[in-house]
């Protein structure tokens, strides 16, 4: 098979500027972030995968419908991006409810079967594989193999399992998304090499990302591993004219500076138009290297991975 670059977009109401979930941000995502992304993909004739939360799909149904004419894949990003609805903390029956409900909302809006899932904040637990199978999903893209970010995101300790997950797409165990098996969900890991390779790092450390992509392209050349890049339309909107509310998580001034002020400053770097330019640079690099772009579902189907699970 040729070299593939799978671009993926998580669509939600998260405001990076305010560090909060906001319906107004969702509206900006619909009116500004999504059109920018769709134009960019059209310019390079790219098909990608959009993971929507059920919440934003219900709030602004047009956000799902607008991707359909371009042939992008509609996929689920769970029902809600609230921390208490993380797939690492919800019990099995709640995970199944969130998976089935978001699938139904997205299928009703798109008229297409939804088979791919990415957990909000990439948070999953030992039940998620079973929950996905029971809700008739076929593909997951929540594992960032060999990514190490103990202190950078929530659920850090559980994410240590990422270090030992296979690098190439695989059929997972029925009991775990983190290891290879025969009858489970097809896992398409998000690209990482210690640091995550996604648009947050791209905005904060553009130079590091340019080295990362060369390394990953070299790896693809050797092993055939597809590049899986994760971005969000909420990174390409501009909320800077609004007064920032920093939600303090700590009363200790030093901890508050490190965890809240500094983190929030870093995370807001290159939001908006600057961010989309950096993203276009990424895309141009892969175009120049002769990569092909397709949806995650198309990749799994063309590589035979989907067929292998379906024949069981
Ligand atoms: Zn998300």
């Amino acid at each position: 098979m040729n070299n593939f670059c799978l671009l993926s977009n998580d669509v939600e109401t998260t405001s990076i500027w305010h560090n909060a979930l906001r319906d107004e941000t969702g509206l900006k995502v619909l009116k500004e972030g999504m059109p920018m992304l769709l134009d960019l993909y059209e310019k390079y004739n790219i098909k990608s995968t959009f993971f929507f939360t059920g919440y934003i799909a219900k709030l602004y149904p047009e956000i799902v419908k607008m991707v359909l004419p371009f042939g992008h894949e509609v996929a689920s990003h769970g029902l809600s991006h609230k921390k208490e609805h993380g797939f690492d903390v919800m019990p099995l029956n709640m995970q199944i409810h969130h998976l089935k409900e978001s699938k139904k909302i997205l299928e009703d809006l798109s008229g297409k079967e939804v088979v791919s899932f990415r957990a909000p904040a990439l948070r999953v637990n030992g039940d998620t594989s079973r929950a996905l199978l029971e809700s008739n999903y076929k593909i997951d893209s929540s594992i960032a193999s060999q990514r190490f970010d103990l202190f950078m995101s929530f659920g850090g300790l559980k994410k240590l399992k990422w270090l030992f997950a296979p690098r190439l797409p695989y059929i997972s165990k029925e009991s775990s998304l983190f290891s290879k098996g025969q009858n489970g969900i097809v896992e398409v890991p998000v690209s990482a090499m210690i640091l995550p390779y996604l648009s947050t790092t791209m905005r904060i450390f553009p130079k590091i990302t340019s080295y990362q992509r060369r390394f990953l392209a070299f790896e693809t050349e050797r092993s055939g591993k597809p590049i899986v890049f994760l971005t969000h339309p909420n990174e390409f909107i501009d909320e800077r004219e609004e007064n920032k509310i920093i939600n303090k998580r700590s009363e200790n001034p030093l901890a508050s500076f490190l965890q809240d002020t500094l983190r929030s400053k870093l995370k807001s770097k290159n939001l908006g138009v600057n961010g989309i330019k950096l993203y276009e640079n990424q895309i141009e690099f892969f175009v120049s290297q002769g990569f092909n772009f397709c949806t995650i579902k198309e990749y799994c189907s063309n590589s035979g991975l989907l067929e292998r699970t379906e024949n069981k």
Side-chain angles (χ1 to χ4, degrees), residues 10-12 14 51 53 77 81 118-122 230 232 234:
D10 295 357
V11 188
E12 54 198 62
T14 308
F51 293 91
T53 58
H77 194 36
H81 222 287
R118 173 172 292 144
L122 306 181
L230 187 168
H232 310 79
N234 59 358

Side-chain angles (χ1 to χ4, degrees), residues 94-303:
M94 276 208 24
Q95 291 192 32
I96 292 174
H97 169 71
H98 279 240
L99 286 168
K100 284 191 172 166
E101 199 56 30
S102 63
K103 186 173 160 84
K104 188 177 171 347
I105 294 169
L106 295 168
E107 287 182 346
D108 286 350
L109 284 170
S110 67
K112 296 203 163 113
E113 193 191 0
V114 169
V115 295
S116 307
F117 171 72
R118 173 172 292 144
L122 306 181
R123 292 162 62 191
V124 298
N125 70 12
D127 287 330
T128 309
S129 180
R130 237 180 89 202
L132 283 163
L133 288 166
E134 288 196 19
S135 319
N136 289 320
Y137 284 82
K138 291 172 182 154
I139 302 164
D140 175 71
S141 183
S142 309
I143 307 297
S145 308
Q146 285 70 57
R147 168 171 161 184
F148 181 70
D149 64 352
L150 196 51
F151 308 107
M152 280 164 64
S153 68
F154 295 110
L157 269 177
K158 280 185 190 128
K159 288 173 175 175
L160 272 179
K161 283 189 181 166
W162 282 347
L163 284 174
F164 308 104
R167 277 189 82 69
L168 269 74
Y170 55 98
I171 295 173
S172 63
K173 275 188 185 163
E174 272 171 282
S175 56
S176 167
L177 291 172
F178 293 90
S179 32
K180 270 188 202 173
Q182 298 208 307
N183 300 317
I185 291 284
V186 177
E187 179 58 47
V188 182
V190 183
S191 290
M193 192 60 227
I194 311 299
L195 274 179
Y197 177 62
L198 40 68
S199 52
T200 317
T201 8
M202 172 190 84
R203 287 187 299 102
I204 305 176
F205 311 112
K207 196 81 205 154
I208 294 179
T209 311
S210 71
Y211 293 123
Q212 263 181 319
R213 68 181 173 230
R214 277 173 206 285
F215 169 81
L216 291 168
F218 174 76
E219 181 187 27
T220 301
E221 202 59 59
R222 291 297 168 97
S223 71
K225 180 194 178 306
I227 308 271
V228 182
F229 191 77
L230 187 168
T231 188
H232 310 79
N234 59 358
E235 295 180 271
F236 308 123
I237 61 170
D238 203 337
E239 296 180 296
R240 275 175 301 183
E241 79 282 7
E242 298 171 26
N243 282 333
K244 191 189 261 186
I245 330 147
I246 296 177
N247 296 316
K248 288 207 179 347
R249 279 183 282 171
S250 173
E251 286 304 314
N252 175 321
L254 179 66
S256 162
F257 172 73
L258 289 174
Q259 286 173 14
D260 304 318
T261 316
L262 200 64
R263 187 170 181 273
S264 145
K265 243 202 161 78
L266 276 178
K267 286 198 117 180
S268 331
K269 209 180 146 193
N270 284 321
L271 286 175
V273 186
N274 286 348
I276 202 98
K277 280 191 194 132
L278 290 169
Y279 190 31
E280 185 161 7
N281 290 346
Q282 301 284 330
I283 292 177
E284 276 179 347
F285 171 78
F286 290 110
V287 170
S288 75
Q289 300 283 309
F291 273 72
N292 296 290
F293 299 86
C294 71
T295 70
I296 290 177
K297 184 184 174 184
E298 280 167 344
Y299 176 85
C300 291
S301 151
N302 295 340
S303 63

Side-chain angles (χ1 to χ4, degrees), residues 13 21 37 227 267 305:
T13 59
L21 294 168
L37 271 181
I227 308 271
K267 286 198 117 180
L305 278 164

Side-chain angles (χ1 to χ4, degrees), residues 51-62:
F51 293 91
F52 297 94
T53 58
Y55 182 82
I56 199 166
K58 245 185 149 162
L59 189 65
Y60 305 117
E62 313 93 279

